Amino acid sequence: MKLSAVIDQAGEAGDATVTGFAIDHRKVAPGTIFGAFEGARVNGEDFIPAAIEAGAVAVVARPEARVEGALHIADHSPRECFAKLAARFFAPFPQATVAVTGTNGKTSTVEMTRQLWRMAGHHAASVGTLGVTTADERVVTGLTTPDVVTFLSNAAGLAREGVTHLAFEASSHGLSQYRTEGLRVAAAAFTNLSRDHLDYHGDMAAYFTAKLRLFSEVLSPDGVAVVWADDPQSERVIDLARERGNRVMAVGEHGDDLRLVSRAPTLLGQGLVIATADGAEHRVNLPLIGGYQAANALVAAALVIATGGDLEATIKGLARLQPVRGRLERAAIAKSGAPIYVDYAHTPDALEAAIAALRPHVAGRLILVFGAGGDRDRGKRVPMGRVAAIEADVVIVTDDNPRGEDAAAIRRDVLEGAVGATEIGDRRAAIAHAVEIARADDIVLIAGKGHEQGQIVGDMVLPFDDVAVAREVAA
Ligand SMILES: CC(=O)N[C@H]1[C@@H](OP(=O)(O)OP(=O)(O)OC[C@H]2O[C@@H](n3ccc(=O)[nH]c3=O)[C@H](O)[C@@H]2O)O[C@H](CO)[C@@H](O)[C@@H]1O[C@H](C)C(=O)N[C@@H](C)C(=O)N[C@H](CCC(=O)O)C(=O)O
Ligand SMILES: Nc1ncnc2c1ncn2[C@@H]1O[C@H](COP(=O)(O)OP(=O)(O)OP(=O)(O)O)[C@@H](O)[C@H]1O
Ligand SMILES: N[C@H](CCC[C@H](N)C(=O)O)C(=O)O
Ligand SMILES: [Mg+2]
């Protein structure tokens, strides 16, 4: 592709051939357009000379950046500009693309959306914390919302493979860094807002603003806003969408479009009654437990309907949803008979939701093993401890991913809220202890790491899988 096809004002540089896009100078090859951004750690503008040396034909950067020897595509919002140009290069993308934001439930919702589309016979994929998932395979990317070049090239690659329907997770980091700009988003969903990532965003208002960008800027002007209506912040999302002229589909006990009339836990799932806007009531047995999974399933159904899915068939499809990896996953049964669940709850709200999901299924005690990640929002640790102390019957505080922090100091923070908890730093020993003390009518919940395959300690990723460890210690 010629530079003039990517950018209108390329001038005499327009004849140069563009071979790719990069935001890391180490990935620049001859013909690359380099995006130089100020980051949280370093300033990408410092690498402009090196990128040009490596063959960059153009550099997208702030007007005040110095660019010599390549076309300077100057923009006050260089990340946004870069994403839009890159999208021109990588297009076309899957014809129906939807996005999900919210503090909790993104991964579950995009995965359920993908499953429902597949049931309808579409070639569908999801992109998020679990990686890039299609019916055939899963490729791990490392981030929830991959960097913009990875994201756009993956989305285009999926389209080339025949994927027509794509659901992706829009994390607050991804939204504030414009990682998912430039492709048409036909529907966007909001699941909920609670505390997380304040290390990065500073305060709840800034965190929410980052998430709202999905509705104010990323969602197509003729797209549908799917909103979980039972969150205290839902109204703001609905108002924003209506002001902008987007159609709103409200879902939940307070939702008019898919109204959750009732929810009755069964042994391995729950019976749902869902009322639709035409007044009809639909009954379906969701084979997953917990209010939070019902919420995510309904949001997923709304996304499918918003992009043309048949209402009745989609609601029926809920009965065939497969569990999402690491979300209330039943990992093993202890010798005593106690079931052991693994869940990805790593915020106070999620921990509360995960415990609430299991509560109707426990006759004895709910034994919780959890910790908090290092180099992440420290302010969520005490509230997580508090939720644990209040909602669980036995609490064991252990290590999550300490990353660059002192693990014992993280546990101290959590223990400040988790009054009366037992402290066992070694995660395997903590899980073993929980399983050992569990009696037949108890349930063990191992929270925080879900599907993760490693424990990040310093710069190392040590192999660790909560599900595998649960199985080992239960054997
Ligand atoms: C805080 C954060 O989001 N950081 C991400 C972000 O960094 P940044 O733009 O601030 O980058 P930086 O390291 O300061 O560098 C600035 C620029 O210089 C470039 N650079 C840097 C060094 C160099 O030698 N050459 C070079 O060109 C970088 O590519 C970058 O464009 O862009 C980088 C490149 O894409 C990401 O790898 C990095 O993710 C880090 C590893 C990370 O841990 N991110 C987490 C917090 C994250 O994004 N999480 C969210 C939310 C999770 C959830 O709750 O779901 C996610 O979407 O995964
Ligand atoms: N709708 C919901 N309401 C409250 N809690 C939820 C909801 N959905 C999921 N959770 C909790 O959050 C955990 C993570 O769920 P999921 O992975 O779907 O969220 P996420 O938004 O993708 O998280 P991340 O930000 O880490 O990518 C679950 O294991 C559960 O404990
Ligand atoms: N996407 C989340 C994952 C947190 C998972 C938890 N195990 C932790 O390490 O804190 C984050 O990066 O904050
Ligand atoms: Mg996720």
Side-chain angles (χ1 to χ4, degrees):
M1 186 180 272
K2 293 278 182 231
L3 192 49
S4 55
V6 177
I7 172 132
D8 304 330
Q9 293 93 23
E12 58 194 41
D15 234 14
T17 301
V18 176
T19 57
F21 278 71
I23 62 168
D24 186 317
H25 86 277
R26 291 161 292 195
K27 293 188 180 158
V28 171
T32 301
I33 295 186
F34 178 60
F37 315 134
E38 295 175 292
R41 221 171 33 86
V42 295
N43 185 356
E45 293 169 352
D46 296 343
F47 305 106
I48 293 174
I52 294 171
E53 179 77 18
V57 285
V59 177
V60 182
R62 295 180 307 153
E64 46 272 60
R66 271 178 73 115
V67 178
E68 281 161 13
L71 177 70
H72 183 181
I73 304 173
D75 198 287
H76 290 289
S77 182
R79 287 181 192 267
E80 187 179 0
C81 171
F82 180 87
K84 288 184 174 149
L85 299 181
R88 284 190 199 170
F89 177 80
F90 287 112
F93 303 107
Q95 69 188 53
T97 295
V98 304
V100 180
T101 199
T103 304
N104 296 307
K106 300 182 293 296
T107 297
S108 307
T109 304
V110 298
E111 174 56 18
M112 291 171 179
T113 306
R114 184 190 70 77
Q115 288 188 30
L116 291 170
W117 273 331
R118 177 157 165 73
M119 287 176 212
H122 298 300
H123 273 290
S126 62
V127 171
T129 313
L130 295 177
V132 181
T133 309
T134 60
D136 309 318
E137 60 172 352
R138 172 164 291 154
V139 180
V140 175
T141 62
L143 288 171
T144 286
T145 306
D147 73 82
V148 57
V149 178
T150 308
F151 178 77
L152 292 173
S153 62
N154 280 341
L158 288 166
R160 277 197 300 277
E161 283 174 24
V163 168
T164 53
H165 289 65
L166 171 66
F168 73 87
E169 271 182 66
S171 69
S172 57
H173 292 79
L175 286 164
S176 72
Q177 292 165 23
Y178 297 88
R179 294 182 196 162
T180 60
E181 238 62 17
L183 77 186
R184 182 177 180 276
V185 174
F190 170 78
T191 58
N192 48 61
L193 185 84
S194 65
R195 181 184 182 119
D196 203 7
H197 300 312
L198 296 196
D199 53 321
Y200 182 76
H201 296 287
D203 57 37
M204 285 302 285
Y207 175 45
F208 191 31
T209 302
K211 292 213 169 287
L212 285 178
R213 227 179 58 70
L214 179 62
F215 298 89
S216 59
E217 294 177 24
V218 178
L219 174 63
S220 172
D222 63 351
V224 182
V226 171
V227 182
W228 176 251
D230 299 347
D231 189 88
Q233 300 300 336
S234 308
E235 211 50 48
R236 279 200 50 199
V237 184
I238 291 173
D239 289 348
L240 174 67
R242 291 221 168 106
E243 271 165 37
R244 195 167 167 253
N246 289 107
R247 180 158 80 84
V248 172
M249 276 184 81
V251 180
E253 282 178 27
H254 298 93
D256 299 330
D257 297 279
L258 289 183
R259 188 161 59 83
L260 184 57
V261 179
S262 67
R263 202 173 67 71
T266 58
L267 195 58
L268 292 174
Q270 47 195 317
L272 306 181
V273 178
I274 301 161
T276 42
D278 56 7
E281 282 200 353
H282 306 255
R283 277 159 214 280
V284 63
N285 286 317
L286 183 70
L288 307 167
I289 63 166
Y292 91 71
Q293 302 222 80
N296 298 335
L298 282 189
V299 173
L303 283 170
V304 170
I305 295 163
T307 45
D310 179 73
L311 189 138
E312 206 133 319
T314 306
I315 295 179
K316 272 212 181 98
L318 296 175
R320 290 196 284 139
L321 281 178
Q322 300 286 318
V324 181
R325 187 73 238 279
R327 277 63 180 169
L328 286 174
E329 180 171 349
R330 205 147 92 147
I333 308 276
K335 283 210 187 77
S336 62
I340 308 166
Y341 283 88
V342 166
D343 188 78
Y344 198 44
H346 53 265
T347 67
D349 217 49
L351 207 49
E352 201 171 339
I355 297 170
L358 292 172
R359 197 43 93 183
H361 302 271
V362 56
R365 302 168 303 169
L366 196 148
I367 303 170
L368 172 67
V369 181
F370 83 109
D375 299 333
R376 292 288 185 271
D377 186 6
R378 293 174 187 219
K380 71 178 173 181
R381 295 174 189 167
V382 174
M384 282 174 78
R386 271 197 212 113
V387 165
I390 295 169
E391 304 295 340
D393 303 306
V394 178
V395 179
I396 301 162
V397 172
T398 189
D399 293 340
D400 191 294
N401 292 310
R403 298 193 179 85
E405 283 191 62
D406 173 24
I410 301 175
R411 291 198 303 273
R412 257 200 311 281
D413 289 348
V414 176
L415 282 158
E416 212 181 298
V419 180
T422 302
E423 178 182 3
I424 304 177
D426 181 83
R427 195 167 177 96
R428 175 182 290 270
I431 294 171
H433 177 70
V435 171
E436 202 179 290
I437 62 170
R439 300 189 285 252
D441 56 358
D442 293 341
I443 280 185
V444 177
L445 169 60
I446 307 165
K449 292 180 56 63
H451 62 282
E452 291 177 357
Q453 294 295 297
Q455 187 174 33
I456 312 170
V457 183
D459 292 333
M460 285 187 305
V461 183
L462 312 172
F464 200 97
D465 175 350
D466 280 352
V467 170
V469 172
R471 285 186 185 147
E472 279 161 34
V473 302

